[in-house]
Amino acid sequence: MTEPSTETPNPPAPDAAALQADFENALEAARAEVRQAVTSEYGDRLAQAELRAHAAAAGVELPALQYLNVGAFVTDGTVNSDAISQFVSSLPQPATKPAFAQNLGLGRQGGSPVPQRTTADISRMTHAQVNAAFHAGQFAALQRGET
């Protein structure tokens, strides 16, 4: 009687096409994983850059980016330009007229309401007339070094 063999039979050799398909599937999964990691890391930065560009083109001021959910503008790894355009168009346009007078703190503006005297006028005036003109502010231009 022959004894049964304790060796296990060799498994069938894997098909080269099946190995190639498994390799391609694994490669595609790795690429998708890397794409997802890069998108999650840089998607917000891309959305911030697009927000700034759209706001600059529209001439509006963005609220501070720390208060915006920038991730809402990233879908499936791409920046949603339509959503950004819609958001930027909803922002208030800047006022065309400044809220405050813009000439504050600039010093004297315009001419003097009081007619000014010259050094030639002083020589033809009496002492009382010079004092009256001085108190009326008619020598202000001379005191500033003008004329």
Side-chain angles (χ1 to χ4, degrees):
M1 197 166 168
T2 61
E3 290 188 26
S5 166
T6 57
E7 294 180 21
T8 57
N10 288 338
D15 185 20
L19 284 176
Q20 181 69 22
D22 287 344
F23 176 74
E24 288 177 3
N25 289 340
L27 183 63
E28 188 58 38
R31 284 181 180 158
E33 184 179 332
V34 168
R35 188 177 303 117
Q36 179 64 29
V38 168
T39 300
S40 66
E41 186 173 340
Y42 291 104
D44 288 349
R45 288 185 183 185
L46 289 173
Q48 287 177 4
E50 269 219 44
L51 274 169
R52 288 187 188 115
H54 280 273
V60 296
E61 186 174 337
L62 280 177
L65 291 176
Q66 64 189 9
Y67 300 117
L68 294 178
N69 181 9
V70 180
F73 298 114
V74 180
T75 54
D76 296 331
T78 60
V79 177
N80 189 346
S81 294
D82 294 334
I84 289 176
S85 297
Q86 184 179 6
F87 172 73
V88 170
S89 66
S90 72
L91 293 174
Q93 295 293 324
T96 57
K97 182 179 177 189
F100 302 102
Q102 299 297 301
N103 61 352
L104 297 176
L106 294 177
R108 187 175 72 85
Q109 302 290 311
S112 175
V114 179
Q116 297 294 300
R117 301 287 182 146
T118 63
T119 53
D121 293 335
I122 294 175
S123 63
R124 293 188 300 265
M125 298 170 73
T126 65
H127 186 66
Q129 289 173 331
V130 169
N131 280 338
F134 178 77
H135 290 296
Q138 293 179 347
F139 293 127
L142 281 175
Q143 290 175 324
R144 287 192 304 267
E146 300 172 10
T147 310

